[in-house]
């Protein structure tokens, strides 16, 4: 019986087949990445940026008001269990157990809704600031702003006051650090964010508004924007009585006098 010879398989068919498969998978993957990039919202001016906080501006510091702080009134609307945890962190900060406070807050943060995450970012940033790490503090404040911005569209009415209060606090703290470390342009961006948040509050805190408008004026003056500086200093007069002999009044009087006496 005659044997039928089998034809050997083509040696070129299999490699070409796999080349087409690999190419197809690569194209699908590239299209997927492109679709994700195009679907992302545009970058906000107040998104986190890589900065080096190294050069202090002591001259501008003598014109500034306020400090990096935590507005505890804003946190009054938070759930009881979180307020209890933050109260314990307050004790740790007072006892200078700052690294332990940061570790505890970092562990607590992922388990919480976005508004509460932003409040924890505020505490983390403040703890880093007290620890003497301004760059880490700024990064935490910026993270809190990013968290809030991502939840702005789905904001329940009951959370409005806490939302804008936190945003004003985080924006001021970020602007303060930028201003103190010789970056007035970036400070202006965050001060304006804080100002917009204050405008959304039914009763904006007077002390924060006084600090904010004074510092906004000083930052604008540093960038040679005398129009914005004058408007900000005049707005600060709404919250600071310059006829009194307080530190805030004296500093604002000096800022206004210096601006008015500048050569035009």
């Amino acid at each position: 019986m005659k044997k039928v010879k089998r034809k050997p398989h083509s040696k070129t068919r299999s490699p070409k087949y796999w080349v087409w498969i690999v190419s197809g998978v690569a194209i699908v993957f590239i299209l997927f990445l492109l679709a994700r990039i195009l679907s992302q919202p545009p970058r906000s001016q107040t998104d986190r940026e890589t900065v080096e906080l190294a050069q202090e501006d002591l001259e501008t510091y003598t014109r500034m008001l306020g400090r990096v702080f935590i507005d505890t009134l804003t946190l009054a609307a938070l759930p009881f269990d979180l307020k209890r945890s933050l109260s314990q962190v307050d004790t740790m900060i007072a006892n200078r157990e700052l690294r332990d406070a940061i570790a505890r807050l970092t562990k607590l943060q992922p388990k919480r809704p976005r508004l509460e995450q932003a409040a924890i970012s505020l505490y983390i940033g403040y703890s880093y600031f007290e620890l003497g790490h301004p760059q880490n503090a700024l990064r935490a404040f910026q993270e809190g702003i990013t968290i809030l911005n991502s939840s702005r569209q789905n904001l329940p009415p009951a959370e409005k006051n806490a939302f804008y209060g936190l945003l004003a606090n985080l924006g001021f703290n970020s602007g303060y650090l930028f201003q103190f470390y010789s970056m007035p342009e970036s400070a202006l961006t965050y001060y304006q964010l804080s100002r917009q948040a204050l405008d959304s509050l039914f009763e904006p805190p007077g002390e924060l508004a006084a600090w904010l408008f004074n510092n906004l004026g000083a930052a604008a003056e540093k960038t040679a924007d005398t129009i914005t500086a004058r408007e900000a200093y005049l707005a600060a007069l709404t919250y600071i009585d310059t006829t009194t002999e307080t530190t805030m009044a004296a500093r604002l009087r000096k800022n206004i006098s210096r601006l008015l006496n500048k050569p035009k």
Side-chain angles (χ1 to χ4, degrees):
M1 185 174 179
K2 191 175 182 179
K3 293 183 179 179
V4 179
K5 293 184 178 180
R6 296 182 179 178
K7 292 184 179 181
H9 293 291
S10 172
K11 295 182 179 180
T12 59
R13 185 178 176 184
S14 180
K16 284 184 178 180
Y17 178 74
W18 284 107
V19 167
W20 281 110
I21 291 178
V22 172
S23 300
V25 171
I27 291 172
V28 170
F29 182 69
I30 291 171
L31 290 174
F32 171 74
L33 289 179
L34 183 61
R36 287 196 62 182
I37 292 172
L38 292 176
S39 64
Q40 291 178 351
R43 177 185 170 93
S44 168
Q45 284 186 315
T46 53
D47 279 349
R48 280 174 287 177
E49 51 188 299
T50 302
V51 294
E52 185 69 27
L53 300 181
Q55 184 179 352
E56 298 177 354
D57 187 347
L58 297 180
E59 180 186 28
T60 295
Y61 179 68
T62 63
R63 305 174 182 179
M64 294 167 61
L65 289 176
R67 61 189 183 276
V68 172
F69 79 113
I70 295 174
D71 183 4
T72 54
L73 290 177
T74 296
L75 308 178
L78 295 177
F80 174 77
D81 63 325
L82 179 58
K83 286 192 292 185
R84 182 178 58 189
S85 296
L86 294 180
S87 177
Q88 294 169 351
V89 171
D90 284 330
T91 302
M92 297 173 73
I93 292 174
N95 293 334
R96 310 306 294 172
E97 300 168 358
L98 297 166
R99 295 185 186 277
D100 291 338
I102 293 168
R104 181 169 184 171
L105 290 163
T106 302
K107 186 177 180 180
L108 177 66
Q109 191 174 31
K111 305 175 183 178
R112 294 287 175 171
R114 289 189 176 277
L115 184 67
E116 297 172 31
Q117 287 182 25
I120 294 171
S121 288
L122 174 63
Y123 262 84
I124 291 174
Y126 182 78
S127 300
Y128 270 123
F129 177 76
E130 289 292 300
L131 191 60
H133 294 173
Q135 197 153 316
N136 288 338
L138 176 61
R139 189 176 296 113
F141 295 144
Q142 290 176 314
E143 181 181 2
I145 292 171
T146 300
I147 291 170
L148 289 177
N149 283 336
S150 68
S151 61
R152 185 188 294 267
Q153 294 180 347
N154 301 318
L155 181 63
E159 295 182 357
K160 180 179 178 181
N161 196 68
F163 176 92
Y164 287 111
L166 270 173
L167 193 59
N169 195 167
L170 290 162
F172 177 84
N173 286 353
S174 299
Y176 188 98
L177 287 174
F178 274 120
Q179 188 173 22
F180 181 69
Y181 285 96
S182 309
M183 298 181 187
E185 295 86 358
S186 296
L188 283 171
T189 298
Y190 285 90
Y191 282 151
Q192 293 290 9
L193 173 73
S194 182
R195 179 180 184 176
Q196 292 168 8
L198 285 181
D199 288 341
S200 299
L201 291 173
F202 181 69
E203 292 184 4
E207 188 174 47
L208 173 56
W211 296 350
L212 173 63
F213 283 115
N214 177 84
N215 293 1
L216 198 159
E221 188 181 351
K222 194 75 174 182
T223 64
D225 185 355
T226 55
I227 295 177
T228 300
R230 185 183 64 170
E231 291 176 349
Y233 288 145
L234 290 177
L237 288 173
T238 305
Y239 302 94
I240 301 175
D241 181 3
T242 54
T243 63
T244 61
E245 295 302 322
T246 63
T247 300
M248 288 203 300
R251 188 153 296 185
L252 180 57
R253 283 198 304 267
K254 188 174 181 180
N255 287 341
I256 293 173
S257 175
R258 182 184 60 255
L259 182 64
L260 293 176
N261 292 327
K262 278 191 172 183
K264 296 181 180 179

